[in-house]
Each structure stands twice: as C-alpha cells, then as structure tokens.
C-alpha cells in the first residue's frame, strides 16, 4: 500500500493546474478529467517513489499528457478505421411480432420473464436457469409453465369481425 504522507497535500495543491493544462491540451473537459484522474491514480500507486522526485507535479503532468495523447490517438485510429471500412450495417427495425412479444413479456412478473429469457433466448437448460436465478428446479419449471401460459393468453389474437356467412 502506498505511503500517503504528503499525497493529499500534493493533490490539493496541483489538481487545478494539472486539469487546466490537460483541458487546454485536449479541448474536452471530460477527457481531461479522465486523464488527470488516471495520472493521479498512477502517482498514488507509486507515491513512495514519486514524492522523492524534484518535481512530482511535473511527473504527474507528463503522465496525464501521455494518457490524453494516447486516448486521442486511439480515437483517431478508430475514425480512420471507420472511414476505411464505412459505417456498420444498420439493424433492421423489429417486426410487429417481435414488438408484440416484448410488450407481452413486459407484462409478466420479473421471475417468469427472466426464466423464459434464459431458457428460450439463451438456450440454458432448466438446471442452469435454476442456478442462475438461485431458485429450485421445480420453481423454474413452474415459472416457465406459468410464463408460457400467460404469454399465450396475452398474445392470443381475438377476431372481432363477424363471420361473412353469419
């Protein structure tokens, strides 16, 4: 565990200057805050060594600027890859059947929804669903049975039109 002697004082005395520097460097306050936070974490982890430096703030400033530049390079690389490969193919809109099933599932109790999703969508065996939900196997079977019955009732289409030859 690092020795905290003087770290709090160092942090309080330098955080605003360091944040201002990295903000000017990045032009993005959130990115600057992330980089500075990471730099102080690294300084804290190595505080027994860093505090002995002539200028611990300079060390932390270099670390923060390298973190910020590294993130900027990563973003630039991703942008180049995007330009090279194009946008990801868009997903088609869900069908009306899918929307109806999701709407019906939302009306079920959470335990039944979870059991149905694990069993039917993820293909887990009943015993695994029981372990995942911390419920007995019999309870999972009951939730699946009740959930299927409730879904069948919720998804039943009632034809309100009169038959043509009535």
């Amino acid at each position: 565990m690092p020795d905290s002697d003087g770290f709090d004082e160092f942090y309080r005395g330098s955080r605003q200057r360091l944040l201002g520097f990295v903000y000017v460097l990045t032009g993005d306050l959130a990115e600057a805050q992330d980089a500075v936070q990471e730099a102080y974490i690294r300084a804290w982890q190595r505080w027994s060594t860093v505090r002995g430096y002539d200028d611990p703030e300079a060390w932390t400033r270099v670390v923060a600027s390298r973190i910020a530049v590294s993130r900027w390079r990563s973003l630039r690389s991703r942008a180049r890859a995007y330009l090279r490969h194009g946008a990801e193919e868009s997903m088609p809109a869900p069908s009306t059947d899918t929307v109806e099933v999701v709407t019906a599932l939302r009306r079920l109790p959470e335990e039944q929804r979870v059991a149905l999703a694990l069993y039917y969508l993820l293909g887990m065996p009943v015993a695994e669903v029981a372990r995942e939900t911390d419920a007995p196997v019999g309870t999972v079977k009951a939730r699946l049975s009740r959930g299927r019955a409730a879904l069948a009732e919720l998804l039943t289409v009632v034809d309100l039109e009169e038959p043509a030859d009535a």
Side-chain angles (χ1 to χ4, degrees):
M1 192 78 184
D3 184 4
S4 64
D5 289 345
F7 184 83
D8 291 343
E9 184 179 326
F10 162 71
Y11 174 77
R12 282 191 297 274
S14 62
R15 67 181 177 210
Q16 287 305 115
R17 281 189 304 275
L18 189 54
L19 179 60
F21 168 75
V22 179
Y23 176 56
V24 168
L25 186 68
T26 62
D28 183 328
L29 183 58
E31 282 294 319
Q33 289 170 330
D34 288 347
V36 168
Q37 179 181 11
E38 180 64 29
Y40 276 113
I41 289 170
R42 292 180 188 182
W44 165 250
Q45 291 169 336
R46 297 163 181 80
W47 185 242
S48 59
T49 303
V50 172
R51 74 172 175 205
Y53 293 161
D54 289 338
D55 190 353
E57 186 176 339
W59 182 91
T60 309
R61 188 172 44 252
V62 168
V63 171
S65 63
R66 287 182 180 166
I67 291 168
V69 168
S70 176
R71 288 182 180 181
W72 178 78
R73 286 181 180 149
S74 174
L75 286 172
R76 187 179 63 181
S77 295
R78 278 188 260 155
R80 284 183 182 157
Y82 173 78
L83 291 173
R84 203 171 35 245
H85 300 291
E88 292 181 16
E89 295 180 22
S90 62
M91 296 292 294
S95 69
T96 54
D97 290 343
T98 301
V99 172
E100 289 174 12
V101 169
V102 170
T103 302
L105 279 167
R106 287 182 179 157
R107 295 181 62 193
L108 297 180
E110 182 181 356
E111 295 85 11
Q112 289 176 9
R113 254 191 340 260
V114 169
L116 289 167
L118 292 173
Y119 185 77
Y120 288 105
L121 297 178
L122 297 182
M124 289 183 173
V126 172
E128 204 170 317
V129 173
R131 263 192 310 280
E132 181 86 14
T133 59
D134 198 27
V137 171
T139 301
V140 170
K141 288 180 179 178
R143 287 174 182 168
L144 288 170
S145 176
R146 289 183 187 125
R148 283 189 301 265
L151 270 180
E153 188 174 311
L154 290 169
L155 295 173
T156 301
V157 178
V158 178
D159 190 2
L160 298 176
E161 294 181 21
E162 296 242 350
D165 43 320

